[in-house]
């Protein structure tokens, strides 16, 4: 079941909203959270909105910061999933709070029940949609950040 409390705008580079993606490794250590939030604050101060993939690690640091600072309405999650239950259990509370606080969520194609290769395709399509809607990308990489590196290469 989709949450009905948020607006799903259409995002593209042609809109007046200028998004910058802040993405990175799911395994980014908590010790980097301050650096992630400093980048988010800098981008917001320059009038950008923040786009995220809605995963753990970097994405969760971004979402939590937007909620904590009352700026969720300046953020959007580009999801691979077509329902809230498809989000990984650990990230679901972050996504719910973000949406309840006014953040936008662009639903994807996967129910989360497909085979692993179909889920991988949905995640890669999510990355492409995110890139297409953003004016820039800030990426926090760790060794073996394949998904994040794919997103950067798409840009």
């Amino acid at each position: 079941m989709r949450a009905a409390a948020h607006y799903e705008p259409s995002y593209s580079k042609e809109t007046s909203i200028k998004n910058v993606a802040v993405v990175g490794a799911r395994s980014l250590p908590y010790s980097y959270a301050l650096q992630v939030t400093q980048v988010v604050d800098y981008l917001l101060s320059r009038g950008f909105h923040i786009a995220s993939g809605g995963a753990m690690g970097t994405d969760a640091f971004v979402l939590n910061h937007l909620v904590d600072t009352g700026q969720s309405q300046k953020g959007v999650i580009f999801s691979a999933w077509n329902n809230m239950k498809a989000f990984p259990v650990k990230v679901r509370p972050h996504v719910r709070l973000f949406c309840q606080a006014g953040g936008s969520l662009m639903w994807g194609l996967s129910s989360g029940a497909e085979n692993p290769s179909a889920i991988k395709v949905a995640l890669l399509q999510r990355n492409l949609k995110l890139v297409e809607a953003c004016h820039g990308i800030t990426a926090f990489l760790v060794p073996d950040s394949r998904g994040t590196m794919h997103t950067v290469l798409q840009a």
Side-chain angles (χ1 to χ4, degrees):
M1 183 168 104
R2 292 185 186 188
H6 60 275
Y7 171 58
E8 295 184 31
S10 174
Y11 283 92
S12 74
K13 289 181 184 172
E14 286 73 41
T15 68
S16 62
I17 296 173
K18 298 207 182 305
N19 292 308
V20 173
V22 179
V23 298
R26 292 181 191 110
S27 61
L28 189 71
Y30 183 78
S31 58
Y32 287 89
L34 178 61
Q35 290 158 313
V36 172
T37 61
Q38 288 172 334
V39 167
V40 169
D41 287 340
Y42 174 80
L43 293 168
L44 291 170
S45 75
R46 299 292 185 258
F48 292 102
H49 284 217
I50 307 300
S52 166
M56 287 304 300
T58 305
D59 294 354
F61 300 153
V62 169
L63 299 179
N64 290 339
H65 186 64
L66 290 171
V67 170
D68 291 346
T69 59
Q71 298 186 83
S72 295
Q73 75 283 358
K74 295 181 181 177
V76 59
I77 296 172
F78 285 82
S79 175
W81 319 115
N82 64 15
N83 68 84
M84 191 63 76
K85 288 184 180 178
F87 279 96
V89 172
K90 288 183 178 181
V91 77
R92 236 179 268 160
H94 305 282
V95 173
R96 278 197 182 104
L97 282 173
F98 172 77
C99 291
Q100 290 169 351
S104 297
L105 197 159
M106 301 297 294
W107 292 107
L109 302 174
S110 177
S111 69
E114 297 86 0
N115 65 52
S117 61
I119 289 174
K120 183 176 180 178
V121 167
L123 289 165
L124 295 175
Q125 288 176 333
R126 179 265 326 259
N127 294 349
L128 184 58
K129 284 183 180 180
L130 184 138
V131 166
E132 289 173 347
C134 291
H135 288 267
I137 294 177
T138 300
F140 290 85
L141 300 170
V142 297
D144 199 34
S145 292
R146 292 181 311 219
T148 303
M149 191 50 108
H150 178 268
T151 303
V152 170
L153 293 173
Q154 289 296 310

